[in-house]
Amino acid sequence: MNAMLHTIEVAGIIAFASSGFIEARRKRMDIVGVFTVAFITAFGGGTLRDLLLDRRPLFWVENQEYPILIFVLALIAMPFLRHLRHAVTESVLEWADALGLGLFSVTGTSLALEAEMPVFICAMMGVITGIFGGVLRDVICNEIPLVFRRSQLYATCAFSGCWVFLFLNWLQASEALSLLAGICTTFALRILAIKFDWKLPA
Amino acid sequence: MNAMLHTIEVAGIIAFASSGFIEARRKRMDIVGVFTVAFITAFGGGTLRDLLLDRRPLFWVENQEYPILIFVLALIAMPFLRHLRHAVTESVLEWADALGLGLFSVTGTSLALEAEMPVFICAMMGVITGIFGGVLRDVICNEIPLVFRRSQLYATCAFSGCWVFLFLNWLQASEALSLLAGICTTFALRILAIKFDWKLPA
Amino acid sequence: MNAMLHTIEVAGIIAFASSGFIEARRKRMDIVGVFTVAFITAFGGGTLRDLLLDRRPLFWVENQEYPILIFVLALIAMPFLRHLRHAVTESVLEWADALGLGLFSVTGTSLALEAEMPVFICAMMGVITGIFGGVLRDVICNEIPLVFRRSQLYATCAFSGCWVFLFLNWLQASEALSLLAGICTTFALRILAIKFDWKLPA
């Protein structure tokens, strides 16, 4: 179970960072910008959650190998970034991103629950963990956050997954089962939303 | 007194959230964006103050009914938002916003004073509490913050009200009187600034 | 030594604040905007570092004379800001900014080290302290952060100086020597980068 969560985590971080790489390159940033935007995309949501919950040490402080990983990826990837979009098929990135969204959101909710937050706040903290990296990426790149525009369901998938986790937890299901069900719900909803172009009414 | 402050608080939150609703709709955001922007507008200032002062639990964590209120308002209001600007007269929103600005700023100063901050910092914390929700709303909506542009006095009203509160407090007036005088100063200045189109020199 | 560091600190704060003044004026902000942007440029980086490290009281809370200094400067400078770019020669600002960058970055790293952060995180915290004031300034002024665009080396100078400090510290050199070497490295690299128009490859 833990090994699986760890694998999902690394896949999610790389997917989130990649969307930062791509966006930063599109804005013609140099390597400092590329690294920073990738870093903020990957860890911004979790950092905001930890600031709000007053948790220390921060996730990426405790695991300095993750910032180093992104730093090395940025160094290696710079010359190839122009071609990254073509090299990695779009759908691989989307699947990894959907997995990361599920994992980050549901573990965010779980951490808020541990900190004895009220239940609606727990769901919010999960969504914040999942989506605010991308929000900060777009703010720094001077765009209106993608997740707030009329695109395929994204935050809604995270919100649903968090509630599934909270509901199973309330039924006193095991931690592992609740996490897994929440992550799968988010993942499945997100993949379906992309496939069938589901959007919120406006 | 407490009941009155509570009423002002709810009015202020609804007014702040409404300006978030309207701005988010103007940017064609979907309901996720509308809720998030409204939430950040209403609670962003207080959250930043609490992070700076290291106060926990956060205001909206302790009172989860407020985020839920905004969530429900966002759900209900979405279909009508196109018409909200006309339905609610502009001046009702302005009055509620001015009340909220006064309340949030002066209570922000009062909390900083409790945390034994130096006096100029207390005034700054008050202004931060009052205006940073709107600043974050504009940053996320990709606009230069309205409150920094040459518009009718806004932050200045909050700043003045905070100093009135600090001055009365220093004279050892009762908490209730000091709060009330500060809120009324901010409110009155803001309404006058709108009526007579007072602006800062530039 | 301490007197020297203090002088550099004041010079750096004034240089950082000035870049905030100038940018805010270019965006036609009023005095509230000018003060806030200058304040955030000067103290934003250190504040973010302190939030991430959970250090309190914040630097500018402990030294309320610094916010007051910027407030007074903003009041006095407003009428002259149109001419500030010409009155103060560009290179005086650049030298003071390079000194400030060196001081803020290296002391940021030193504080992270005191808080027993892992070594790569210490270097990151230094760079965050040095550059995030400017990043926040640009985000609020609705620009893509200058430091992420292809301009002359900036963050890279701070990063190098932080590693020099960490390396000397690891060799158990005295605190004073390590600080000084780190600051001089950053300063010298930055001045050279401006003189010879050094940029990162893109």
Side-chain angles (χ1 to χ4, degrees):
Chain A
M1 176 72 186
N2 267 333
M4 196 193 69
L5 286 183
H6 193 71
T7 312
I8 296 181
E9 192 173 78
V10 173
I13 288 174
I14 293 179
F16 276 41
S18 300
S19 85
F21 284 146
I22 291 168
E23 188 67 21
R25 277 306 289 173
R26 195 183 300 160
K27 298 287 176 172
R28 309 191 158 280
M29 293 186 181
D30 64 15
I31 191 172
V32 172
V34 165
F35 167 68
T36 313
V37 172
F39 181 82
I40 289 175
T41 311
F43 300 119
T47 303
L48 180 55
R49 176 206 61 215
D50 286 349
L51 288 178
L52 294 175
L53 294 181
D54 208 11
R55 291 183 75 242
R56 296 294 187 296
L58 300 172
F59 173 70
W60 48 274
V61 165
E62 221 172 359
N63 303 275
Q64 72 163 333
E65 61 274 15
Y66 287 136
I68 295 177
L69 173 71
I70 293 180
F71 187 67
V72 172
L73 278 180
L75 280 176
I76 297 176
M78 270 310 271
F80 310 110
L81 270 176
R82 228 162 301 197
H83 314 292
L84 188 67
R85 290 214 112 184
H86 312 291
V88 185
T89 63
E90 191 83 348
S91 63
V92 170
L93 272 185
E94 280 172 357
W95 281 59
D97 182 87
L99 271 176
L101 177 68
L103 179 79
F104 293 160
S105 303
V106 177
T107 51
T109 297
S110 156
L111 289 170
L113 206 61
E114 255 174 53
E116 305 192 333
M117 296 288 126
V119 66
F120 186 78
I121 303 295
C122 288
M124 278 187 64
M125 289 290 173
V127 178
I128 287 173
T129 311
I131 73 170
F132 255 80
V135 169
L136 293 174
R137 173 197 66 210
D138 294 344
V139 165
I140 286 185
C141 291
N142 209 7
E143 300 280 347
I144 293 184
L146 186 62
V147 62
F148 297 157
R149 295 192 310 241
R150 273 208 71 216
S151 47
Q152 292 129 351
L153 299 189
Y154 193 87
T156 313
C157 309
F159 197 59
S160 311
C162 292
W163 280 109
V164 167
F165 168 81
L166 287 167
F167 181 65
L168 287 177
N169 192 284
W170 178 72
L171 293 179
Q172 305 194 300
S174 74
E175 175 86 2
L177 177 68
S178 312
L179 280 175
L180 208 66
I183 295 172
C184 291
T185 305
T186 303
F187 176 74
L189 276 177
R190 174 64 186 150
I191 294 297
L192 289 171
I194 295 172
K195 279 261 182 291
F196 299 108
D197 198 28
W198 286 347
K199 298 181 178 183
L200 288 170
Chain B
M1 177 72 186
N2 268 333
M4 196 194 68
L5 286 182
H6 192 72
T7 313
I8 296 182
E9 191 172 80
V10 173
I13 288 173
I14 292 178
F16 276 40
S18 300
S19 86
F21 285 146
I22 291 167
E23 188 66 20
R25 277 307 287 173
R26 194 184 300 160
K27 298 286 177 171
R28 309 191 157 282
M29 291 186 183
D30 63 15
I31 191 173
V32 172
V34 165
F35 167 69
T36 313
V37 172
F39 181 82
I40 287 175
T41 311
F43 300 119
T47 303
L48 179 55
R49 176 206 61 217
D50 286 350
L51 288 178
L52 295 175
L53 294 180
D54 208 11
R55 291 183 75 244
R56 297 292 187 300
L58 301 171
F59 173 70
W60 49 273
V61 165
E62 221 171 3
N63 303 276
Q64 71 163 332
E65 61 274 15
Y66 287 135
I68 294 176
L69 172 71
I70 292 181
F71 187 69
V72 172
L73 278 181
L75 281 176
I76 298 176
M78 268 310 270
F80 309 110
L81 269 176
R82 230 161 302 197
H83 314 291
L84 187 66
R85 291 215 112 184
H86 312 289
V88 185
T89 63
E90 192 84 347
S91 63
V92 170
L93 272 184
E94 279 172 356
W95 280 60
D97 181 87
L99 270 176
L101 178 67
L103 180 78
F104 291 160
S105 303
V106 177
T107 50
T109 297
S110 156
L111 289 171
L113 206 61
E114 255 173 52
E116 306 193 332
M117 296 288 125
V119 67
F120 186 78
I121 303 295
C122 289
M124 276 186 65
M125 288 290 173
V127 179
I128 287 173
T129 311
I131 74 171
F132 255 81
V135 170
L136 292 174
R137 174 198 64 209
D138 293 345
V139 165
I140 285 185
C141 291
N142 208 5
E143 299 279 347
I144 293 183
L146 187 62
V147 62
F148 298 156
R149 295 193 308 241
R150 274 208 69 217
S151 48
Q152 292 128 352
L153 300 188
Y154 193 85
T156 313
C157 310
F159 197 58
S160 311
C162 292
W163 281 109
V164 166
F165 168 80
L166 286 167
F167 181 66
L168 287 177
N169 192 285
W170 179 72
L171 292 179
Q172 305 193 300
S174 76
E175 175 85 3
L177 176 68
S178 312
L179 279 175
L180 208 65
I183 294 171
C184 291
T185 305
T186 303
F187 176 73
L189 275 176
R190 173 67 186 149
I191 295 297
L192 289 171
I194 294 172
K195 280 263 183 290
F196 298 107
D197 198 26
W198 287 346
K199 297 181 179 183
L200 287 170
Chain C
M1 177 75 186
N2 267 332
M4 197 193 68
L5 286 182
H6 192 72
T7 313
I8 296 181
E9 192 172 80
V10 173
I13 289 173
I14 293 179
F16 276 41
S18 300
S19 85
F21 284 146
I22 291 168
E23 188 66 21
R25 277 306 287 173
R26 194 183 300 159
K27 299 285 176 173
R28 311 192 156 280
M29 293 187 181
D30 64 14
I31 191 172
V32 172
V34 166
F35 167 69
T36 313
V37 172
F39 182 82
I40 287 175
T41 310
F43 300 120
T47 303
L48 179 56
R49 176 206 60 217
D50 286 350
L51 288 178
L52 295 175
L53 294 181
D54 208 12
R55 291 181 74 243
R56 296 292 188 297
L58 301 171
F59 173 71
W60 49 273
V61 164
E62 220 172 1
N63 302 275
Q64 72 163 332
E65 62 274 15
Y66 287 136
I68 295 177
L69 172 71
I70 292 181
F71 187 68
V72 172
L73 278 180
L75 281 176
I76 297 176
M78 269 310 270
F80 308 110
L81 269 177
R82 228 161 304 195
H83 314 292
L84 187 65
R85 290 214 113 187
H86 312 291
V88 184
T89 63
E90 192 84 348
S91 63
V92 169
L93 272 184
E94 280 172 355
W95 281 59
D97 181 86
L99 271 176
L101 177 67
L103 180 79
F104 292 161
S105 303
V106 176
T107 51
T109 296
S110 155
L111 289 171
L113 205 61
E114 255 174 50
E116 307 192 332
M117 296 287 126
V119 66
F120 186 78
I121 304 296
C122 288
M124 278 187 64
M125 288 291 174
V127 179
I128 288 172
T129 311
I131 73 170
F132 255 81
V135 169
L136 293 173
R137 173 199 65 211
D138 293 345
V139 165
I140 286 185
C141 291
N142 209 6
E143 299 280 346
I144 293 184
L146 185 62
V147 63
F148 298 156
R149 292 191 313 237
R150 274 208 71 216
S151 48
Q152 291 127 353
L153 299 189
Y154 192 87
T156 312
C157 309
F159 197 58
S160 310
C162 292
W163 281 109
V164 167
F165 168 81
L166 287 168
F167 181 65
L168 288 176
N169 193 285
W170 179 71
L171 292 179
Q172 305 194 300
S174 75
E175 175 86 4
L177 176 68
S178 312
L179 280 175
L180 208 64
I183 295 171
C184 291
T185 305
T186 303
F187 176 72
L189 276 177
R190 173 68 184 146
I191 295 297
L192 288 171
I194 295 172
K195 280 260 183 291
F196 298 107
D197 198 28
W198 287 347
K199 296 182 178 182
L200 287 170

